[in-house]
Amino acid sequence: MLRPALVGGAAVVLLGASFSPQAAAAAKTPPPDRIVIDVVAVNGSGCPAGTTAVAVAPDNTAFTVSYSNYLAQVGVGSKPTDFRKNCQLGLNIHVPQGFTYAISRADYRGFAHLESGATGLEKASYYFQGQSQTASASHRFAGPVSDDWQTSDVTDVASLVYAPCGVQRILNVNTELRVGAGTSDPSSTNSFLAMDSTDGSVNTLYHFAWKECP
């Protein structure tokens, strides 16, 4: 069971680099003390104030984000700007002394209703404050579909990128949802892609990899 940390939201995908086999072994063991996540910035049409929440797993192996108002749409009932929604956040992740972390896997869930000919896109990216590397990954959807969706982005151990040791750096994260009418008729249909659900509770889960600092 996850415990709430602070109100906010996030979505993370993975960068590529390398580290030693010794670090790979250390990465399997989470630190004994709990971590704290402070949400220092929240901006975007997909995450209005009060509509997202962050929680940390008791064993420090993962954190999760839930959304209640993250939906992109085209067609009947939509505004011209509704085809794209995004959420950009800054997360200050306080970890126990002597440890650093990377994000090894990100699991996304939501709901898609796309008419025949319509398309959807979910994209995520992140970077650490002060680092020039930015990476992103995307998943595409095609109508007709009206169902829950789930995707995963996975980075193998040899490609993990860790936060710098001994320095507090903000983890900047950004997600985006897009919907295109394509060959569907937006004057008589509605297509949408949500990182959400009918009961307003969908979790996006991010898995930590840990490494002891020198």
Side-chain angles (χ1 to χ4, degrees):
M1 183 175 180
L2 297 171
R3 61 174 180 269
L6 277 176
V7 173
V12 177
V13 74
L14 314 168
L15 289 170
S18 62
F19 68 102
S20 68
Q22 290 81 4
K28 297 178 181 179
T29 304
D33 299 325
R34 71 185 296 265
I35 64 170
V36 176
I37 300 176
D38 294 329
V39 181
V40 297
V42 181
N43 295 290
S45 54
C47 51
T51 65
T52 57
V54 177
V56 181
D59 62 359
N60 294 330
T61 59
F63 70 94
T64 189
V65 181
S66 58
Y67 304 89
S68 62
N69 192 24
Y70 199 167
L71 181 145
Q73 62 176 332
V74 294
V76 176
S78 66
K79 300 175 183 178
T81 56
D82 285 346
F83 78 96
R84 177 184 181 272
K85 294 295 177 74
N86 80 299
C87 184
Q88 184 167 347
L89 304 99
L91 301 177
N92 194 2
I93 300 179
H94 304 273
V95 301
Q97 186 174 3
F99 285 85
T100 186
Y101 71 94
I103 304 299
S104 61
R105 177 185 174 116
D107 300 318
Y108 306 95
R109 294 195 296 126
F111 189 85
H113 176 82
L114 300 174
E115 297 289 336
S116 180
T119 60
L121 171 72
E122 174 264 314
K123 182 178 180 180
S125 62
Y126 86 109
Y127 64 95
F128 288 107
Q129 177 187 16
Q131 293 185 343
S132 59
Q133 286 178 296
T134 301
S136 63
S138 59
H139 299 273
R140 299 181 183 276
F141 306 86
V145 63
S146 187
D147 203 353
D148 295 324
W149 59 266
Q150 180 171 341
T151 62
S152 296
D153 296 315
V154 181
T155 292
D156 60 41
V157 171
S159 298
L160 294 171
V161 168
Y162 287 85
C165 282
V167 180
Q168 194 67 49
R169 295 286 177 85
I170 302 298
L171 175 64
N172 294 287
V173 299
N174 188 39
T175 52
E176 176 183 342
L177 297 178
R178 286 179 181 258
V179 176
T183 58
S184 68
D185 182 3
S187 66
S188 61
T189 64
N190 175 274
S191 294
F192 66 86
L193 182 65
M195 207 174 291
D196 196 355
S197 73
T198 54
D199 62 3
S201 178
V202 156
N203 291 332
T204 303
L205 187 63
Y206 307 97
H207 303 261
F208 286 117
W210 294 100
K211 182 173 71 171
E212 292 191 51
C213 293

mmCIF file with all atom_site columns, all heavy atoms in Angstrom, residues 11-38:
data_model
loop_
_atom_site.group_PDB
_atom_site.id
_atom_site.type_symbol
_atom_site.label_atom_id
_atom_site.label_alt_id
_atom_site.label_comp_id
_atom_site.label_asym_id
_atom_site.label_entity_id
_atom_site.label_seq_id
_atom_site.pdbx_PDB_ins_code
_atom_site.Cartn_x
_atom_site.Cartn_y
_atom_site.Cartn_z
_atom_site.occupancy
_atom_site.B_iso_or_equiv
_atom_site.pdbx_formal_charge
_atom_site.auth_seq_id
_atom_site.auth_comp_id
_atom_site.auth_asym_id
_atom_site.auth_atom_id
_atom_site.pdbx_PDB_model_num
ATOM 1   N N   . ALA A 1 11 ? 5.240  12.402 -14.360 1.00 0.00 ? 11 ALA A N   1
ATOM 2   C CA  . ALA A 1 11 ? 5.382  11.276 -15.254 1.00 0.00 ? 11 ALA A CA  1
ATOM 3   C C   . ALA A 1 11 ? 6.811  11.266 -15.721 1.00 0.00 ? 11 ALA A C   1
ATOM 4   O O   . ALA A 1 11 ? 7.357  12.287 -16.082 1.00 0.00 ? 11 ALA A O   1
ATOM 5   C CB  . ALA A 1 11 ? 4.448  11.377 -16.444 1.00 0.00 ? 11 ALA A CB  1
ATOM 6   N N   . VAL A 1 12 ? 7.428  10.099 -15.717 1.00 0.00 ? 12 VAL A N   1
ATOM 7   C CA  . VAL A 1 12 ? 8.858  10.011 -15.939 1.00 0.00 ? 12 VAL A CA  1
ATOM 8   C C   . VAL A 1 12 ? 9.169  8.975  -16.992 1.00 0.00 ? 12 VAL A C   1
ATOM 9   O O   . VAL A 1 12 ? 8.549  7.929  -17.058 1.00 0.00 ? 12 VAL A O   1
ATOM 10  C CB  . VAL A 1 12 ? 9.588  9.635  -14.622 1.00 0.00 ? 12 VAL A CB  1
ATOM 11  C CG1 . VAL A 1 12 ? 11.078 9.475  -14.859 1.00 0.00 ? 12 VAL A CG1 1
ATOM 12  C CG2 . VAL A 1 12 ? 9.341  10.695 -13.569 1.00 0.00 ? 12 VAL A CG2 1
ATOM 13  N N   . VAL A 1 13 ? 10.156 9.269  -17.839 1.00 0.00 ? 13 VAL A N   1
ATOM 14  C CA  . VAL A 1 13 ? 10.690 8.287  -18.761 1.00 0.00 ? 13 VAL A CA  1
ATOM 15  C C   . VAL A 1 13 ? 12.203 8.356  -18.660 1.00 0.00 ? 13 VAL A C   1
ATOM 16  O O   . VAL A 1 13 ? 12.732 9.171  -17.902 1.00 0.00 ? 13 VAL A O   1
ATOM 17  C CB  . VAL A 1 13 ? 10.174 8.533  -20.191 1.00 0.00 ? 13 VAL A CB  1
ATOM 18  C CG1 . VAL A 1 13 ? 10.840 9.719  -20.816 1.00 0.00 ? 13 VAL A CG1 1
ATOM 19  C CG2 . VAL A 1 13 ? 10.334 7.304  -21.053 1.00 0.00 ? 13 VAL A CG2 1
ATOM 20  N N   . LEU A 1 14 ? 12.941 7.520  -19.385 1.00 0.00 ? 14 LEU A N   1
ATOM 21  C CA  . LEU A 1 14 ? 14.271 7.147  -18.946 1.00 0.00 ? 14 LEU A CA  1
ATOM 22  C C   . LEU A 1 14 ? 15.385 7.643  -19.861 1.00 0.00 ? 14 LEU A C   1
ATOM 23  O O   . LEU A 1 14 ? 15.251 7.668  -21.078 1.00 0.00 ? 14 LEU A O   1
ATOM 24  C CB  . LEU A 1 14 ? 14.320 5.626  -18.841 1.00 0.00 ? 14 LEU A CB  1
ATOM 25  C CG  . LEU A 1 14 ? 13.095 5.076  -18.116 1.00 0.00 ? 14 LEU A CG  1
ATOM 26  C CD1 . LEU A 1 14 ? 13.016 3.577  -18.280 1.00 0.00 ? 14 LEU A CD1 1
ATOM 27  C CD2 . LEU A 1 14 ? 13.069 5.454  -16.663 1.00 0.00 ? 14 LEU A CD2 1
ATOM 28  N N   . LEU A 1 15 ? 16.515 8.024  -19.238 1.00 0.00 ? 15 LEU A N   1
ATOM 29  C CA  . LEU A 1 15 ? 17.703 8.457  -19.950 1.00 0.00 ? 15 LEU A CA  1
ATOM 30  C C   . LEU A 1 15 ? 18.691 7.312  -20.073 1.00 0.00 ? 15 LEU A C   1
ATOM 31  O O   . LEU A 1 15 ? 18.628 6.344  -19.331 1.00 0.00 ? 15 LEU A O   1
ATOM 32  C CB  . LEU A 1 15 ? 18.380 9.610  -19.194 1.00 0.00 ? 15 LEU A CB  1
ATOM 33  C CG  . LEU A 1 15 ? 17.661 10.959 -19.200 1.00 0.00 ? 15 LEU A CG  1
ATOM 34  C CD1 . LEU A 1 15 ? 18.342 11.899 -18.210 1.00 0.00 ? 15 LEU A CD1 1
ATOM 35  C CD2 . LEU A 1 15 ? 17.681 11.566 -20.583 1.00 0.00 ? 15 LEU A CD2 1
ATOM 36  N N   . GLY A 1 16 ? 19.660 7.436  -20.966 1.00 0.00 ? 16 GLY A N   1
ATOM 37  C CA  . GLY A 1 16 ? 20.638 6.385  -21.161 1.00 0.00 ? 16 GLY A CA  1
ATOM 38  C C   . GLY A 1 16 ? 22.046 6.820  -20.802 1.00 0.00 ? 16 GLY A C   1
ATOM 39  O O   . GLY A 1 16 ? 22.482 7.910  -21.119 1.00 0.00 ? 16 GLY A O   1
ATOM 40  N N   . ALA A 1 17 ? 22.795 5.978  -20.105 1.00 0.00 ? 17 ALA A N   1
ATOM 41  C CA  . ALA A 1 17 ? 24.213 6.183  -19.786 1.00 0.00 ? 17 ALA A CA  1
ATOM 42  C C   . ALA A 1 17 ? 24.758 4.846  -19.345 1.00 0.00 ? 17 ALA A C   1
ATOM 43  O O   . ALA A 1 17 ? 24.158 3.804  -19.593 1.00 0.00 ? 17 ALA A O   1
ATOM 44  C CB  . ALA A 1 17 ? 24.395 7.239  -18.694 1.00 0.00 ? 17 ALA A CB  1
ATOM 45  N N   . SER A 1 18 ? 25.903 4.834  -18.669 1.00 0.00 ? 18 SER A N   1
ATOM 46  C CA  . SER A 1 18 ? 26.462 3.569  -18.214 1.00 0.00 ? 18 SER A CA  1
ATOM 47  C C   . SER A 1 18 ? 27.077 3.737  -16.839 1.00 0.00 ? 18 SER A C   1
ATOM 48  O O   . SER A 1 18 ? 27.436 4.842  -16.432 1.00 0.00 ? 18 SER A O   1
ATOM 49  C CB  . SER A 1 18 ? 27.523 3.061  -19.193 1.00 0.00 ? 18 SER A CB  1
ATOM 50  O OG  . SER A 1 18 ? 28.592 3.980  -19.258 1.00 0.00 ? 18 SER A OG  1
ATOM 51  N N   . PHE A 1 19 ? 27.206 2.623  -16.096 1.00 0.00 ? 19 PHE A N   1
ATOM 52  C CA  . PHE A 1 19 ? 27.918 2.628  -14.834 1.00 0.00 ? 19 PHE A CA  1
ATOM 53  C C   . PHE A 1 19 ? 28.490 1.245  -14.605 1.00 0.00 ? 19 PHE A C   1
ATOM 54  O O   . PHE A 1 19 ? 28.262 0.331  -15.367 1.00 0.00 ? 19 PHE A O   1
ATOM 55  C CB  . PHE A 1 19 ? 27.019 3.090  -13.680 1.00 0.00 ? 19 PHE A CB  1
ATOM 56  C CG  . PHE A 1 19 ? 25.903 2.146  -13.337 1.00 0.00 ? 19 PHE A CG  1
ATOM 57  C CD1 . PHE A 1 19 ? 25.994 1.308  -12.241 1.00 0.00 ? 19 PHE A CD1 1
ATOM 58  C CD2 . PHE A 1 19 ? 24.755 2.101  -14.104 1.00 0.00 ? 19 PHE A CD2 1
ATOM 59  C CE1 . PHE A 1 19 ? 24.960 0.446  -11.920 1.00 0.00 ? 19 PHE A CE1 1
ATOM 60  C CE2 . PHE A 1 19 ? 23.725 1.241  -13.790 1.00 0.00 ? 19 PHE A CE2 1
ATOM 61  C CZ  . PHE A 1 19 ? 23.832 0.406  -12.697 1.00 0.00 ? 19 PHE A CZ  1
ATOM 62  N N   . SER A 1 20 ? 29.264 1.083  -13.540 1.00 0.00 ? 20 SER A N   1
ATOM 63  C CA  . SER A 1 20 ? 30.035 -0.138 -13.344 1.00 0.00 ? 20 SER A CA  1
ATOM 64  C C   . SER A 1 20 ? 29.157 -1.295 -12.887 1.00 0.00 ? 20 SER A C   1
ATOM 65  O O   . SER A 1 20 ? 28.079 -1.097 -12.337 1.00 0.00 ? 20 SER A O   1
ATOM 66  C CB  . SER A 1 20 ? 31.119 0.106  -12.295 1.00 0.00 ? 20 SER A CB  1
ATOM 67  O OG  . SER A 1 20 ? 30.512 0.310  -11.029 1.00 0.00 ? 20 SER A OG  1
ATOM 68  N N   . PRO A 1 21 ? 29.616 -2.554 -13.080 1.00 0.00 ? 21 PRO A N   1
ATOM 69  C CA  . PRO A 1 21 ? 28.883 -3.712 -12.565 1.00 0.00 ? 21 PRO A CA  1
ATOM 70  C C   . PRO A 1 21 ? 28.694 -3.652 -11.055 1.00 0.00 ? 21 PRO A C   1
ATOM 71  O O   . PRO A 1 21 ? 27.709 -4.134 -10.521 1.00 0.00 ? 21 PRO A O   1
ATOM 72  C CB  . PRO A 1 21 ? 29.783 -4.894 -12.970 1.00 0.00 ? 21 PRO A CB  1
ATOM 73  C CG  . PRO A 1 21 ? 30.555 -4.399 -14.157 1.00 0.00 ? 21 PRO A CG  1
ATOM 74  C CD  . PRO A 1 21 ? 30.788 -2.935 -13.884 1.00 0.00 ? 21 PRO A CD  1
ATOM 75  N N   . GLN A 1 22 ? 29.672 -3.050 -10.313 1.00 0.00 ? 22 GLN A N   1
ATOM 76  C CA  . GLN A 1 22 ? 29.524 -2.924 -8.876  1.00 0.00 ? 22 GLN A CA  1
ATOM 77  C C   . GLN A 1 22 ? 28.317 -2.063 -8.529  1.00 0.00 ? 22 GLN A C   1
ATOM 78  O O   . GLN A 1 22 ? 27.552 -2.367 -7.619  1.00 0.00 ? 22 GLN A O   1
ATOM 79  C CB  . GLN A 1 22 ? 30.801 -2.310 -8.273  1.00 0.00 ? 22 GLN A CB  1
ATOM 80  C CG  . GLN A 1 22 ? 32.015 -3.217 -8.303  1.00 0.00 ? 22 GLN A CG  1
ATOM 81  C CD  . GLN A 1 22 ? 32.708 -3.211 -9.665  1.00 0.00 ? 22 GLN A CD  1
ATOM 82  O OE1 . GLN A 1 22 ? 32.321 -2.469 -10.567 1.00 0.00 ? 22 GLN A OE1 1
ATOM 83  N NE2 . GLN A 1 22 ? 33.725 -4.037 -9.795  1.00 0.00 ? 22 GLN A NE2 1
ATOM 84  N N   . ALA A 1 23 ? 28.139 -0.985 -9.286  1.00 0.00 ? 23 ALA A N   1
ATOM 85  C CA  . ALA A 1 23 ? 26.983 -0.125 -9.055  1.00 0.00 ? 23 ALA A CA  1
ATOM 86  C C   . ALA A 1 23 ? 25.699 -0.854 -9.382  1.00 0.00 ? 23 ALA A C   1
ATOM 87  O O   . ALA A 1 23 ? 24.679 -0.661 -8.735  1.00 0.00 ? 23 ALA A O   1
ATOM 88  C CB  . ALA A 1 23 ? 27.100 1.147  -9.897  1.00 0.00 ? 23 ALA A CB  1
ATOM 89  N N   . ALA A 1 24 ? 25.740 -1.719 -10.404 1.00 0.00 ? 24 ALA A N   1
ATOM 90  C CA  . ALA A 1 24 ? 24.548 -2.473 -10.769 1.00 0.00 ? 24 ALA A CA  1
ATOM 91  C C   . ALA A 1 24 ? 24.088 -3.343 -9.612  1.00 0.00 ? 24 ALA A C   1
ATOM 92  O O   . ALA A 1 24 ? 22.900 -3.469 -9.335  1.00 0.00 ? 24 ALA A O   1
ATOM 93  C CB  . ALA A 1 24 ? 24.828 -3.324 -12.008 1.00 0.00 ? 24 ALA A CB  1
ATOM 94  N N   . ALA A 1 25 ? 25.041 -3.968 -8.922  1.00 0.00 ? 25 ALA A N   1
ATOM 95  C CA  . ALA A 1 25 ? 24.684 -4.825 -7.799  1.00 0.00 ? 25 ALA A CA  1
ATOM 96  C C   . ALA A 1 25 ? 24.092 -4.009 -6.665  1.00 0.00 ? 25 ALA A C   1
ATOM 97  O O   . ALA A 1 25 ? 23.112 -4.395 -6.045  1.00 0.00 ? 25 ALA A O   1
ATOM 98  C CB  . ALA A 1 25 ? 25.923 -5.585 -7.325  1.00 0.00 ? 25 ALA A CB  1
ATOM 99  N N   . ALA A 1 26 ? 24.687 -2.829 -6.400  1.00 0.00 ? 26 ALA A N   1
ATOM 100 C CA  . ALA A 1 26 ? 24.206 -1.995 -5.304  1.00 0.00 ? 26 ALA A CA  1
ATOM 101 C C   . ALA A 1 26 ? 22.822 -1.444 -5.582  1.00 0.00 ? 26 ALA A C   1
ATOM 102 O O   . ALA A 1 26 ? 22.073 -1.150 -4.667  1.00 0.00 ? 26 ALA A O   1
ATOM 103 C CB  . ALA A 1 26 ? 25.195 -0.854 -5.062  1.00 0.00 ? 26 ALA A CB  1
ATOM 104 N N   . ALA A 1 27 ? 22.492 -1.327 -6.849  1.00 0.00 ? 27 ALA A N   1
ATOM 105 C CA  . ALA A 1 27 ? 21.233 -0.689 -7.218  1.00 0.00 ? 27 ALA A CA  1
ATOM 106 C C   . ALA A 1 27 ? 20.017 -1.512 -6.814  1.00 0.00 ? 27 ALA A C   1
ATOM 107 O O   . ALA A 1 27 ? 18.910 -1.001 -6.806  1.00 0.00 ? 27 ALA A O   1
ATOM 108 C CB  . ALA A 1 27 ? 21.202 -0.449 -8.724  1.00 0.00 ? 27 ALA A CB  1
ATOM 109 N N   . LYS A 1 28 ? 20.224 -2.784 -6.466  1.00 0.00 ? 28 LYS A N   1
ATOM 110 C CA  . LYS A 1 28 ? 19.088 -3.644 -6.160  1.00 0.00 ? 28 LYS A CA  1
ATOM 111 C C   . LYS A 1 28 ? 18.525 -3.419 -4.760  1.00 0.00 ? 28 LYS A C   1
ATOM 112 O O   . LYS A 1 28 ? 17.421 -3.861 -4.454  1.00 0.00 ? 28 LYS A O   1
ATOM 113 C CB  . LYS A 1 28 ? 19.508 -5.109 -6.320  1.00 0.00 ? 28 LYS A CB  1
ATOM 114 C CG  . LYS A 1 28 ? 19.912 -5.488 -7.747  1.00 0.00 ? 28 LYS A CG  1
ATOM 115 C CD  . LYS A 1 28 ? 20.347 -6.935 -7.814  1.00 0.00 ? 28 LYS A CD  1
ATOM 116 C CE  . LYS A 1 28 ? 20.767 -7.331 -9.224  1.00 0.00 ? 28 LYS A CE  1
ATOM 117 N NZ  . LYS A 1 28 ? 21.216 -8.739 -9.293  1.00 0.00 ? 28 LYS A NZ  1
ATOM 118 N N   . THR A 1 29 ? 19.285 -2.775 -3.883  1.00 0.00 ? 29 THR A N   1
ATOM 119 C CA  . THR A 1 29 ? 18.890 -2.656 -2.484  1.00 0.00 ? 29 THR A CA  1
ATOM 120 C C   . THR A 1 29 ? 18.454 -1.239 -2.153  1.00 0.00 ? 29 THR A C   1
ATOM 121 O O   . THR A 1 29 ? 19.252 -0.313 -2.260  1.00 0.00 ? 29 THR A O   1
ATOM 122 C CB  . THR A 1 29 ? 20.059 -3.052 -1.566  1.00 0.00 ? 29 THR A CB  1
ATOM 123 O OG1 . THR A 1 29 ? 20.487 -4.368 -1.911  1.00 0.00 ? 29 THR A OG1 1
ATOM 124 C CG2 . THR A 1 29 ? 19.622 -3.020 -0.106  1.00 0.00 ? 29 THR A CG2 1
ATOM 125 N N   . PRO A 1 30 ? 17.207 -1.029 -1.753  1.00 0.00 ? 30 PRO A N   1
ATOM 126 C CA  . PRO A 1 30 ? 16.760 0.322  -1.394  1.00 0.00 ? 30 PRO A CA  1
ATOM 127 C C   . PRO A 1 30 ? 17.348 0.735  -0.055  1.00 0.00 ? 30 PRO A C   1
ATOM 128 O O   . PRO A 1 30 ? 17.712 -0.108 0.770   1.00 0.00 ? 30 PRO A O   1
ATOM 129 C CB  . PRO A 1 30 ? 15.240 0.168  -1.311  1.00 0.00 ? 30 PRO A CB  1
ATOM 130 C CG  . PRO A 1 30 ? 15.025 -1.267 -0.967  1.00 0.00 ? 30 PRO A CG  1
ATOM 131 C CD  . PRO A 1 30 ? 16.133 -2.017 -1.662  1.00 0.00 ? 30 PRO A CD  1
ATOM 132 N N   . PRO A 1 31 ? 17.471 2.043  0.189   1.00 0.00 ? 31 PRO A N   1
ATOM 133 C CA  . PRO A 1 31 ? 17.976 2.509  1.484   1.00 0.00 ? 31 PRO A CA  1
ATOM 134 C C   . PRO A 1 31 ? 16.979 2.191  2.587   1.00 0.00 ? 31 PRO A C   1
ATOM 135 O O   . PRO A 1 31 ? 15.777 2.064  2.346   1.00 0.00 ? 31 PRO A O   1
ATOM 136 C CB  . PRO A 1 31 ? 18.108 4.025  1.278   1.00 0.00 ? 31 PRO A CB  1
ATOM 137 C CG  . PRO A 1 31 ? 17.135 4.336  0.190   1.00 0.00 ? 31 PRO A CG  1
ATOM 138 C CD  . PRO A 1 31 ? 17.132 3.145  -0.716  1.00 0.00 ? 31 PRO A CD  1
ATOM 139 N N   . PRO A 1 32 ? 17.456 2.059  3.835   1.00 0.00 ? 32 PRO A N   1
ATOM 140 C CA  . PRO A 1 32 ? 16.571 1.663  4.929   1.00 0.00 ? 32 PRO A CA  1
ATOM 141 C C   . PRO A 1 32 ? 15.613 2.766  5.373   1.00 0.00 ? 32 PRO A C   1
ATOM 142 O O   . PRO A 1 32 ? 14.541 2.470  5.899   1.00 0.00 ? 32 PRO A O   1
ATOM 143 C CB  . PRO A 1 32 ? 17.551 1.313  6.055   1.00 0.00 ? 32 PRO A CB  1
ATOM 144 C CG  . PRO A 1 32 ? 18.777 2.120  5.743   1.00 0.00 ? 32 PRO A CG  1
ATOM 145 C CD  . PRO A 1 32 ? 18.863 2.166  4.248   1.00 0.00 ? 32 PRO A CD  1
ATOM 146 N N   . ASP A 1 33 ? 15.985 4.033  5.177   1.00 0.00 ? 33 ASP A N   1
ATOM 147 C CA  . ASP A 1 33 ? 15.144 5.138  5.627   1.00 0.00 ? 33 ASP A CA  1
ATOM 148 C C   . ASP A 1 33 ? 14.187 5.557  4.525   1.00 0.00 ? 33 ASP A C   1
ATOM 149 O O   . ASP A 1 33 ? 14.434 5.361  3.336   1.00 0.00 ? 33 ASP A O   1
ATOM 150 C CB  . ASP A 1 33 ? 16.002 6.331  6.044   1.00 0.00 ? 33 ASP A CB  1
ATOM 151 C CG  . ASP A 1 33 ? 16.935 5.986  7.199   1.00 0.00 ? 33 ASP A CG  1
ATOM 152 O OD1 . ASP A 1 33 ? 16.518 5.183  8.058   1.00 0.00 ? 33 ASP A OD1 1
ATOM 153 O OD2 . ASP A 1 33 ? 18.063 6.503  7.219   1.00 0.00 ? 33 ASP A OD2 1
ATOM 154 N N   . ARG A 1 34 ? 13.073 6.193  4.913   1.00 0.00 ? 34 ARG A N   1
ATOM 155 C CA  . ARG A 1 34 ? 12.069 6.620  3.938   1.00 0.00 ? 34 ARG A CA  1
ATOM 156 C C   . ARG A 1 34 ? 12.564 7.824  3.153   1.00 0.00 ? 34 ARG A C   1
ATOM 157 O O   . ARG A 1 34 ? 13.441 8.571  3.611   1.00 0.00 ? 34 ARG A O   1
ATOM 158 C CB  . ARG A 1 34 ? 10.742 6.958  4.626   1.00 0.00 ? 34 ARG A CB  1
ATOM 159 C CG  . ARG A 1 34 ? 10.766 8.237  5.453   1.00 0.00 ? 34 ARG A CG  1
ATOM 160 C CD  . ARG A 1 34 ? 9.438  8.410  6.178   1.00 0.00 ? 34 ARG A CD  1
ATOM 161 N NE  . ARG A 1 34 ? 8.336  8.597  5.273   1.00 0.00 ? 34 ARG A NE  1
ATOM 162 C CZ  . ARG A 1 34 ? 7.873  9.793  4.913   1.00 0.00 ? 34 ARG A CZ  1
ATOM 163 N NH1 . ARG A 1 34 ? 8.437  10.890 5.385   1.00 0.00 ? 34 ARG A NH1 1
ATOM 164 N NH2 . ARG A 1 34 ? 6.852  9.895  4.105   1.00 0.00 ? 34 ARG A NH2 1
ATOM 165 N N   . ILE A 1 35 ? 12.036 7.985  1.949   1.00 0.00 ? 35 ILE A N   1
ATOM 166 C CA  . ILE A 1 35 ? 12.323 9.162  1.153   1.00 0.00 ? 35 ILE A CA  1
ATOM 167 C C   . ILE A 1 35 ? 11.138 10.119 1.226   1.00 0.00 ? 35 ILE A C   1
ATOM 168 O O   . ILE A 1 35 ? 10.026 9.733  1.583   1.00 0.00 ? 35 ILE A O   1
ATOM 169 C CB  . ILE A 1 35 ? 12.618 8.804  -0.321  1.00 0.00 ? 35 ILE A CB  1
ATOM 170 C CG1 . ILE A 1 35 ? 11.383 8.187  -0.995  1.00 0.00 ? 35 ILE A CG1 1
ATOM 171 C CG2 . ILE A 1 35 ? 13.804 7.868  -0.424  1.00 0.00 ? 35 ILE A CG2 1
ATOM 172 C CD1 . ILE A 1 35 ? 11.539 8.036  -2.487  1.00 0.00 ? 35 ILE A CD1 1
ATOM 173 N N   . VAL A 1 36 ? 11.391 11.375 0.895   1.00 0.00 ? 36 VAL A N   1
ATOM 174 C CA  . VAL A 1 36 ? 10.350 12.395 0.877   1.00 0.00 ? 36 VAL A CA  1
ATOM 175 C C   . VAL A 1 36 ? 10.398 13.092 -0.475  1.00 0.00 ? 36 VAL A C   1
ATOM 176 O O   . VAL A 1 36 ? 11.477 13.449 -0.956  1.00 0.00 ? 36 VAL A O   1
ATOM 177 C CB  . VAL A 1 36 ? 10.547 13.427 2.006   1.00 0.00 ? 36 VAL A CB  1
ATOM 178 C CG1 . VAL A 1 36 ? 9.503  14.532 1.916   1.00 0.00 ? 36 VAL A CG1 1
ATOM 179 C CG2 . VAL A 1 36 ? 10.484 12.746 3.372   1.00 0.00 ? 36 VAL A CG2 1
ATOM 180 N N   . ILE A 1 37 ? 9.241  13.262 -1.102  1.00 0.00 ? 37 ILE A N   1
ATOM 181 C CA  . ILE A 1 37 ? 9.154  13.951 -2.382  1.00 0.00 ? 37 ILE A CA  1
ATOM 182 C C   . ILE A 1 37 ? 8.416  15.268 -2.187  1.00 0.00 ? 37 ILE A C   1
ATOM 183 O O   . ILE A 1 37 ? 7.256  15.285 -1.784  1.00 0.00 ? 37 ILE A O   1
ATOM 184 C CB  . ILE A 1 37 ? 8.429  13.094 -3.439  1.00 0.00 ? 37 ILE A CB  1
ATOM 185 C CG1 . ILE A 1 37 ? 9.185  11.778 -3.666  1.00 0.00 ? 37 ILE A CG1 1
ATOM 186 C CG2 . ILE A 1 37 ? 8.308  13.854 -4.756  1.00 0.00 ? 37 ILE A CG2 1
ATOM 187 C CD1 . ILE A 1 37 ? 8.488  10.836 -4.626  1.00 0.00 ? 37 ILE A CD1 1
ATOM 188 N N   . ASP A 1 38 ? 9.111  16.382 -2.462  1.00 0.00 ? 38 ASP A N   1
ATOM 189 C CA  . ASP A 1 38 ? 8.485  17.705 -2.452  1.00 0.00 ? 38 ASP A CA  1
ATOM 190 C C   . ASP A 1 38 ? 8.202  18.124 -3.884  1.00 0.00 ? 38 ASP A C   1
ATOM 191 O O   . ASP A 1 38 ? 9.095  18.084 -4.738  1.00 0.00 ? 38 ASP A O   1
ATOM 192 C CB  . ASP A 1 38 ? 9.410  18.745 -1.814  1.00 0.00 ? 38 ASP A CB  1
ATOM 193 C CG  . ASP A 1 38 ? 9.651  18.492 -0.335  1.00 0.00 ? 38 ASP A CG  1
ATOM 194 O OD1 . ASP A 1 38 ? 8.739  17.947 0.313   1.00 0.00 ? 38 ASP A OD1 1
ATOM 195 O OD2 . ASP A 1 38 ? 10.739 18.826 0.152   1.00 0.00 ? 38 ASP A OD2 1
#
